[in-house]
Amino acid sequence: MSDRVRYEWSRFSRSWWGPVHVVVRVNSVEATVGESRVVLDLTDRRPADVRRKHPMPVPFREGVPVELDGQQVAVVTNAPKSPLGIFFRRAVRQVSGDPSFVLPGMRLTLRALPVFLTLRADSGTLVSTRRWGAPWDDVTWHFSLPGRFGVVPPRVARGTRPEHVAFWFAMRETHR
């Protein structure tokens, strides 16, 4: 992983679960909420000849490792036959790994325009983008200076652990 920082931001200190600190590097995204630090490793692991033939990587096709406080706890992959999630139908990302982190039925659903990201489990929705807030976040992301953060905090269910909130923020940054 590269140590070169593309951007970083801290926000939402007044939320009951906050604050969050996000660092986006060339090949990784790191999000910290409370004492929980989640890192997504986005390094392209394909062989060199495959990278030359197909220069655009699709990281969730092969799987993206998720680290919690320095130990790998999960892998995020595209669900088979999942839609692209551009406007109406949502793309699905499966989360598999250590049961201490991955709750039963844990998955992410994503719609890209505007960005709606939801972290769900069989027990219900853990963290989700606020429907009215997504357009504002997209506008501030693209048109404000410095603009590298959201203005509307996500909806977080009571009892959601800080590592799941940090995981949601890290995944959201991969879709910017």
Side-chain angles (χ1 to χ4, degrees), residues 102-127:
V102 179
L103 301 175
M106 186 178 269
R107 65 202 173 279
L108 289 142
T109 57
L110 165 76
R111 190 178 84 192
L113 293 173
V115 176
F116 285 117
L117 182 66
T118 304
L119 177 62
R120 300 172 195 264
D122 288 344
S123 60
T125 300
L126 302 172
V127 186

PDB file of all heavy atoms in Angstrom, residues 102-127:
ATOM      1  N   VAL A 102     -18.321  -9.558  11.089  1.00  0.00           N
ATOM      2  CA  VAL A 102     -19.378  -9.723  10.084  1.00  0.00           C
ATOM      3  C   VAL A 102     -20.618 -10.305  10.747  1.00  0.00           C
ATOM      4  O   VAL A 102     -20.622 -11.442  11.201  1.00  0.00           O
ATOM      5  CB  VAL A 102     -18.901 -10.645   8.934  1.00  0.00           C
ATOM      6  CG1 VAL A 102     -20.004 -10.815   7.915  1.00  0.00           C
ATOM      7  CG2 VAL A 102     -17.651 -10.086   8.292  1.00  0.00           C
ATOM      8  N   LEU A 103     -21.670  -9.517  10.797  1.00  0.00           N
ATOM      9  CA  LEU A 103     -22.934  -9.972  11.359  1.00  0.00           C
ATOM     10  C   LEU A 103     -23.645 -10.882  10.361  1.00  0.00           C
ATOM     11  O   LEU A 103     -23.400 -10.802   9.150  1.00  0.00           O
ATOM     12  CB  LEU A 103     -23.809  -8.763  11.690  1.00  0.00           C
ATOM     13  CG  LEU A 103     -23.213  -7.759  12.673  1.00  0.00           C
ATOM     14  CD1 LEU A 103     -24.123  -6.557  12.813  1.00  0.00           C
ATOM     15  CD2 LEU A 103     -22.954  -8.406  14.004  1.00  0.00           C
ATOM     16  N   PRO A 104     -24.542 -11.759  10.806  1.00  0.00           N
ATOM     17  CA  PRO A 104     -25.267 -12.636   9.886  1.00  0.00           C
ATOM     18  C   PRO A 104     -26.010 -11.830   8.822  1.00  0.00           C
ATOM     19  O   PRO A 104     -26.731 -10.880   9.132  1.00  0.00           O
ATOM     20  CB  PRO A 104     -26.247 -13.385  10.791  1.00  0.00           C
ATOM     21  CG  PRO A 104     -25.628 -13.329  12.153  1.00  0.00           C
ATOM     22  CD  PRO A 104     -24.887 -12.029  12.208  1.00  0.00           C
ATOM     23  N   GLY A 105     -25.804 -12.191   7.565  1.00  0.00           N
ATOM     24  CA  GLY A 105     -26.479 -11.531   6.452  1.00  0.00           C
ATOM     25  C   GLY A 105     -25.953 -10.146   6.133  1.00  0.00           C
ATOM     26  O   GLY A 105     -26.638  -9.373   5.460  1.00  0.00           O
ATOM     27  N   MET A 106     -24.744  -9.804   6.555  1.00  0.00           N
ATOM     28  CA  MET A 106     -24.218  -8.456   6.325  1.00  0.00           C
ATOM     29  C   MET A 106     -23.937  -8.236   4.841  1.00  0.00           C
ATOM     30  O   MET A 106     -23.347  -9.073   4.176  1.00  0.00           O
ATOM     31  CB  MET A 106     -22.937  -8.213   7.120  1.00  0.00           C
ATOM     32  CG  MET A 106     -22.436  -6.782   7.026  1.00  0.00           C
ATOM     33  SD  MET A 106     -20.958  -6.512   8.001  1.00  0.00           S
ATOM     34  CE  MET A 106     -21.687  -5.998   9.521  1.00  0.00           C
ATOM     35  N   ARG A 107     -24.407  -7.082   4.335  1.00  0.00           N
ATOM     36  CA  ARG A 107     -24.210  -6.716   2.938  1.00  0.00           C
ATOM     37  C   ARG A 107     -24.323  -5.201   2.814  1.00  0.00           C
ATOM     38  O   ARG A 107     -24.864  -4.539   3.694  1.00  0.00           O
ATOM     39  CB  ARG A 107     -25.224  -7.411   2.040  1.00  0.00           C
ATOM     40  CG  ARG A 107     -26.643  -6.968   2.307  1.00  0.00           C
ATOM     41  CD  ARG A 107     -27.677  -7.984   1.841  1.00  0.00           C
ATOM     42  NE  ARG A 107     -29.020  -7.633   2.239  1.00  0.00           N
ATOM     43  CZ  ARG A 107     -29.551  -7.841   3.423  1.00  0.00           C
ATOM     44  NH1 ARG A 107     -28.842  -8.384   4.380  1.00  0.00           N
ATOM     45  NH2 ARG A 107     -30.794  -7.510   3.684  1.00  0.00           N
ATOM     46  N   LEU A 108     -23.815  -4.690   1.718  1.00  0.00           N
ATOM     47  CA  LEU A 108     -23.921  -3.268   1.404  1.00  0.00           C
ATOM     48  C   LEU A 108     -24.737  -3.136   0.136  1.00  0.00           C
ATOM     49  O   LEU A 108     -24.568  -3.914  -0.810  1.00  0.00           O
ATOM     50  CB  LEU A 108     -22.537  -2.676   1.173  1.00  0.00           C
ATOM     51  CG  LEU A 108     -21.679  -2.545   2.418  1.00  0.00           C
ATOM     52  CD1 LEU A 108     -20.254  -2.867   2.104  1.00  0.00           C
ATOM     53  CD2 LEU A 108     -21.793  -1.145   2.965  1.00  0.00           C
ATOM     54  N   THR A 109     -25.623  -2.161   0.090  1.00  0.00           N
ATOM     55  CA  THR A 109     -26.326  -1.854  -1.148  1.00  0.00           C
ATOM     56  C   THR A 109     -25.938  -0.439  -1.547  1.00  0.00           C
ATOM     57  O   THR A 109     -25.758   0.430  -0.703  1.00  0.00           O
ATOM     58  CB  THR A 109     -27.857  -1.970  -0.990  1.00  0.00           C
ATOM     59  OG1 THR A 109     -28.292  -1.115   0.058  1.00  0.00           O
ATOM     60  CG2 THR A 109     -28.266  -3.400  -0.700  1.00  0.00           C
ATOM     61  N   LEU A 110     -25.805  -0.233  -2.860  1.00  0.00           N
ATOM     62  CA  LEU A 110     -25.283   1.028  -3.375  1.00  0.00           C
ATOM     63  C   LEU A 110     -26.057   1.469  -4.590  1.00  0.00           C
ATOM     64  O   LEU A 110     -26.337   0.677  -5.486  1.00  0.00           O
ATOM     65  CB  LEU A 110     -23.811   0.853  -3.757  1.00  0.00           C
ATOM     66  CG  LEU A 110     -23.196   1.942  -4.632  1.00  0.00           C
ATOM     67  CD1 LEU A 110     -22.913   3.175  -3.790  1.00  0.00           C
ATOM     68  CD2 LEU A 110     -21.949   1.451  -5.295  1.00  0.00           C
ATOM     69  N   ARG A 111     -26.405   2.744  -4.612  1.00  0.00           N
ATOM     70  CA  ARG A 111     -26.896   3.402  -5.821  1.00  0.00           C
ATOM     71  C   ARG A 111     -25.955   4.559  -6.065  1.00  0.00           C
ATOM     72  O   ARG A 111     -25.656   5.333  -5.159  1.00  0.00           O
ATOM     73  CB  ARG A 111     -28.326   3.882  -5.647  1.00  0.00           C
ATOM     74  CG  ARG A 111     -28.909   4.343  -6.975  1.00  0.00           C
ATOM     75  CD  ARG A 111     -30.324   4.764  -6.849  1.00  0.00           C
ATOM     76  NE  ARG A 111     -30.343   6.148  -6.393  1.00  0.00           N
ATOM     77  CZ  ARG A 111     -31.428   6.753  -5.958  1.00  0.00           C
ATOM     78  NH1 ARG A 111     -32.565   6.102  -5.848  1.00  0.00           N
ATOM     79  NH2 ARG A 111     -31.384   8.010  -5.583  1.00  0.00           N
ATOM     80  N   ALA A 112     -25.453   4.708  -7.283  1.00  0.00           N
ATOM     81  CA  ALA A 112     -24.353   5.619  -7.565  1.00  0.00           C
ATOM     82  C   ALA A 112     -24.751   7.070  -7.799  1.00  0.00           C
ATOM     83  O   ALA A 112     -23.967   7.957  -7.510  1.00  0.00           O
ATOM     84  CB  ALA A 112     -23.558   5.103  -8.765  1.00  0.00           C
ATOM     85  N   LEU A 113     -25.909   7.347  -8.363  1.00  0.00           N
ATOM     86  CA  LEU A 113     -26.278   8.729  -8.688  1.00  0.00           C
ATOM     87  C   LEU A 113     -27.620   9.093  -8.105  1.00  0.00           C
ATOM     88  O   LEU A 113     -28.641   8.645  -8.623  1.00  0.00           O
ATOM     89  CB  LEU A 113     -26.304   8.922 -10.208  1.00  0.00           C
ATOM     90  CG  LEU A 113     -24.960   8.820 -10.895  1.00  0.00           C
ATOM     91  CD1 LEU A 113     -25.149   8.848 -12.394  1.00  0.00           C
ATOM     92  CD2 LEU A 113     -24.018   9.893 -10.449  1.00  0.00           C
ATOM     93  N   PRO A 114     -27.710   9.904  -7.092  1.00  0.00           N
ATOM     94  CA  PRO A 114     -26.661  10.283  -6.151  1.00  0.00           C
ATOM     95  C   PRO A 114     -26.275   9.088  -5.292  1.00  0.00           C
ATOM     96  O   PRO A 114     -26.985   8.085  -5.254  1.00  0.00           O
ATOM     97  CB  PRO A 114     -27.298  11.384  -5.312  1.00  0.00           C
ATOM     98  CG  PRO A 114     -28.751  11.110  -5.363  1.00  0.00           C
ATOM     99  CD  PRO A 114     -28.998  10.485  -6.719  1.00  0.00           C
ATOM    100  N   VAL A 115     -25.174   9.198  -4.570  1.00  0.00           N
ATOM    101  CA  VAL A 115     -24.630   8.059  -3.828  1.00  0.00           C
ATOM    102  C   VAL A 115     -25.496   7.760  -2.610  1.00  0.00           C
ATOM    103  O   VAL A 115     -25.585   8.559  -1.682  1.00  0.00           O
ATOM    104  CB  VAL A 115     -23.176   8.323  -3.390  1.00  0.00           C
ATOM    105  CG1 VAL A 115     -22.661   7.177  -2.553  1.00  0.00           C
ATOM    106  CG2 VAL A 115     -22.294   8.537  -4.599  1.00  0.00           C
ATOM    107  N   PHE A 116     -26.178   6.609  -2.652  1.00  0.00           N
ATOM    108  CA  PHE A 116     -26.924   6.070  -1.514  1.00  0.00           C
ATOM    109  C   PHE A 116     -26.245   4.770  -1.125  1.00  0.00           C
ATOM    110  O   PHE A 116     -26.200   3.833  -1.919  1.00  0.00           O
ATOM    111  CB  PHE A 116     -28.375   5.753  -1.880  1.00  0.00           C
ATOM    112  CG  PHE A 116     -29.258   6.946  -2.011  1.00  0.00           C
ATOM    113  CD1 PHE A 116     -29.834   7.250  -3.219  1.00  0.00           C
ATOM    114  CD2 PHE A 116     -29.533   7.751  -0.919  1.00  0.00           C
ATOM    115  CE1 PHE A 116     -30.666   8.346  -3.350  1.00  0.00           C
ATOM    116  CE2 PHE A 116     -30.362   8.853  -1.045  1.00  0.00           C
ATOM    117  CZ  PHE A 116     -30.927   9.147  -2.262  1.00  0.00           C
ATOM    118  N   LEU A 117     -25.702   4.704   0.070  1.00  0.00           N
ATOM    119  CA  LEU A 117     -25.018   3.498   0.542  1.00  0.00           C
ATOM    120  C   LEU A 117     -25.678   3.057   1.838  1.00  0.00           C
ATOM    121  O   LEU A 117     -25.894   3.879   2.744  1.00  0.00           O
ATOM    122  CB  LEU A 117     -23.533   3.781   0.773  1.00  0.00           C
ATOM    123  CG  LEU A 117     -22.687   2.603   1.224  1.00  0.00           C
ATOM    124  CD1 LEU A 117     -22.606   1.544   0.118  1.00  0.00           C
ATOM    125  CD2 LEU A 117     -21.294   3.066   1.597  1.00  0.00           C
ATOM    126  N   THR A 118     -25.988   1.760   1.922  1.00  0.00           N
ATOM    127  CA  THR A 118     -26.646   1.219   3.103  1.00  0.00           C
ATOM    128  C   THR A 118     -25.916  -0.033   3.555  1.00  0.00           C
ATOM    129  O   THR A 118     -25.648  -0.920   2.745  1.00  0.00           O
ATOM    130  CB  THR A 118     -28.119   0.870   2.803  1.00  0.00           C
ATOM    131  OG1 THR A 118     -28.763   2.041   2.300  1.00  0.00           O
ATOM    132  CG2 THR A 118     -28.842   0.395   4.041  1.00  0.00           C
ATOM    133  N   LEU A 119     -25.592  -0.098   4.836  1.00  0.00           N
ATOM    134  CA  LEU A 119     -25.008  -1.295   5.451  1.00  0.00           C
ATOM    135  C   LEU A 119     -26.127  -1.996   6.197  1.00  0.00           C
ATOM    136  O   LEU A 119     -26.736  -1.421   7.100  1.00  0.00           O
ATOM    137  CB  LEU A 119     -23.869  -0.914   6.399  1.00  0.00           C
ATOM    138  CG  LEU A 119     -23.208  -2.058   7.165  1.00  0.00           C
ATOM    139  CD1 LEU A 119     -22.560  -3.054   6.198  1.00  0.00           C
ATOM    140  CD2 LEU A 119     -22.174  -1.511   8.132  1.00  0.00           C
ATOM    141  N   ARG A 120     -26.407  -3.241   5.774  1.00  0.00           N
ATOM    142  CA  ARG A 120     -27.512  -4.000   6.352  1.00  0.00           C
ATOM    143  C   ARG A 120     -27.014  -5.326   6.902  1.00  0.00           C
ATOM    144  O   ARG A 120     -25.996  -5.839   6.477  1.00  0.00           O
ATOM    145  CB  ARG A 120     -28.570  -4.321   5.290  1.00  0.00           C
ATOM    146  CG  ARG A 120     -29.191  -3.153   4.628  1.00  0.00           C
ATOM    147  CD  ARG A 120     -30.076  -3.611   3.466  1.00  0.00           C
ATOM    148  NE  ARG A 120     -30.413  -2.512   2.603  1.00  0.00           N
ATOM    149  CZ  ARG A 120     -31.531  -1.809   2.689  1.00  0.00           C
ATOM    150  NH1 ARG A 120     -32.422  -2.104   3.585  1.00  0.00           N
ATOM    151  NH2 ARG A 120     -31.745  -0.813   1.868  1.00  0.00           N
ATOM    152  N   ALA A 121     -27.797  -5.881   7.802  1.00  0.00           N
ATOM    153  CA  ALA A 121     -27.607  -7.241   8.297  1.00  0.00           C
ATOM    154  C   ALA A 121     -28.999  -7.844   8.444  1.00  0.00           C
ATOM    155  O   ALA A 121     -30.003  -7.158   8.219  1.00  0.00           O
ATOM    156  CB  ALA A 121     -26.875  -7.230   9.634  1.00  0.00           C
ATOM    157  N   ASP A 122     -29.061  -9.114   8.818  1.00  0.00           N
ATOM    158  CA  ASP A 122     -30.371  -9.735   9.003  1.00  0.00           C
ATOM    159  C   ASP A 122     -31.163  -9.055  10.109  1.00  0.00           C
ATOM    160  O   ASP A 122     -32.392  -9.069  10.108  1.00  0.00           O
ATOM    161  CB  ASP A 122     -30.217 -11.225   9.326  1.00  0.00           C
ATOM    162  CG  ASP A 122     -29.771 -12.022   8.107  1.00  0.00           C
ATOM    163  OD1 ASP A 122     -29.880 -11.504   6.969  1.00  0.00           O
ATOM    164  OD2 ASP A 122     -29.311 -13.174   8.289  1.00  0.00           O
ATOM    165  N   SER A 123     -30.471  -8.433  11.049  1.00  0.00           N
ATOM    166  CA  SER A 123     -31.144  -7.744  12.159  1.00  0.00           C
ATOM    167  C   SER A 123     -31.730  -6.393  11.750  1.00  0.00           C
ATOM    168  O   SER A 123     -32.496  -5.803  12.508  1.00  0.00           O
ATOM    169  CB  SER A 123     -30.165  -7.551  13.315  1.00  0.00           C
ATOM    170  OG  SER A 123     -29.060  -6.781  12.896  1.00  0.00           O
ATOM    171  N   GLY A 124     -31.356  -5.876  10.570  1.00  0.00           N
ATOM    172  CA  GLY A 124     -31.895  -4.609  10.099  1.00  0.00           C
ATOM    173  C   GLY A 124     -30.819  -3.705   9.530  1.00  0.00           C
ATOM    174  O   GLY A 124     -29.671  -4.098   9.355  1.00  0.00           O
ATOM    175  N   THR A 125     -31.191  -2.469   9.249  1.00  0.00           N
ATOM    176  CA  THR A 125     -30.264  -1.485   8.698  1.00  0.00           C
ATOM    177  C   THR A 125     -29.387  -0.935   9.811  1.00  0.00           C
ATOM    178  O   THR A 125     -29.891  -0.482  10.830  1.00  0.00           O
ATOM    179  CB  THR A 125     -31.034  -0.348   8.017  1.00  0.00           C
ATOM    180  OG1 THR A 125     -31.827  -0.901   6.964  1.00  0.00           O
ATOM    181  CG2 THR A 125     -30.101   0.691   7.442  1.00  0.00           C
ATOM    182  N   LEU A 126     -28.060  -0.974   9.590  1.00  0.00           N
ATOM    183  CA  LEU A 126     -27.115  -0.464  10.574  1.00  0.00           C
ATOM    184  C   LEU A 126     -26.780   1.001  10.316  1.00  0.00           C
ATOM    185  O   LEU A 126     -26.899   1.843  11.194  1.00  0.00           O
ATOM    186  CB  LEU A 126     -25.838  -1.301  10.563  1.00  0.00           C
ATOM    187  CG  LEU A 126     -26.016  -2.801  10.843  1.00  0.00           C
ATOM    188  CD1 LEU A 126     -24.719  -3.537  10.617  1.00  0.00           C
ATOM    189  CD2 LEU A 126     -26.535  -3.016  12.241  1.00  0.00           C
ATOM    190  N   VAL A 127     -26.331   1.307   9.091  1.00  0.00           N
ATOM    191  CA  VAL A 127     -25.940   2.667   8.709  1.00  0.00           C
ATOM    192  C   VAL A 127     -26.442   2.909   7.298  1.00  0.00           C
ATOM    193  O   VAL A 127     -26.310   2.041   6.432  1.00  0.00           O
ATOM    194  CB  VAL A 127     -24.403   2.849   8.740  1.00  0.00           C
ATOM    195  CG1 VAL A 127     -24.031   4.299   8.477  1.00  0.00           C
ATOM    196  CG2 VAL A 127     -23.804   2.368  10.052  1.00  0.00           C
TER     197      VAL A 127
END
